[in-house]
Amino acid sequence: RLAASEATMDQRQLDEVYPRLCHRLTEAGEEAVPAVLARLVLLLMQEVADPQRIGRAIDEAADGCVPTPFNRG
């Protein structure tokens, strides 16, 4: 389980891991992307093991995707 001090990644670390995610999603194929991402989220939720942090992250992710007058295309 992650300790609170281990829970934050810096930009360099994100830049290292994000291409791996993109590569694996490309390998999986477009139809499998939702399943891969759902499984990733479940695995990360188990690692974080903090319902409050997970809830905040869910809300933040959903708020960024819900159409509003300011983010509609």
Side-chain angles (χ1 to χ4, degrees), residues 8-18:
T8 302
M9 295 176 66
D10 63 31
Q11 188 61 48
R12 181 189 56 77
Q13 292 168 318
L14 289 169
D15 289 344
E16 289 175 7
V17 74
Y18 186 73

Side-chain angles (χ1 to χ4, degrees), residues 10-66:
D10 63 31
Q11 188 61 48
R12 181 189 56 77
Q13 292 168 318
L14 289 169
D15 289 344
E16 289 175 7
V17 74
Y18 186 73
R20 181 177 183 171
L21 172 62
C22 293
H23 175 73
R24 295 305 306 261
L25 291 175
T26 299
E27 278 184 340
E30 189 174 341
E31 290 184 13
V33 167
V36 173
L37 291 175
R39 179 165 165 71
L40 174 61
V41 168
L42 291 172
L43 291 168
L44 292 173
M45 288 169 81
Q46 289 179 323
E47 287 293 318
V48 171
D50 181 332
Q52 288 78 29
R53 285 182 59 206
I54 293 167
R56 286 191 304 271
I58 290 168
D59 291 343
E60 186 174 335
D63 290 346
C65 293
V66 174

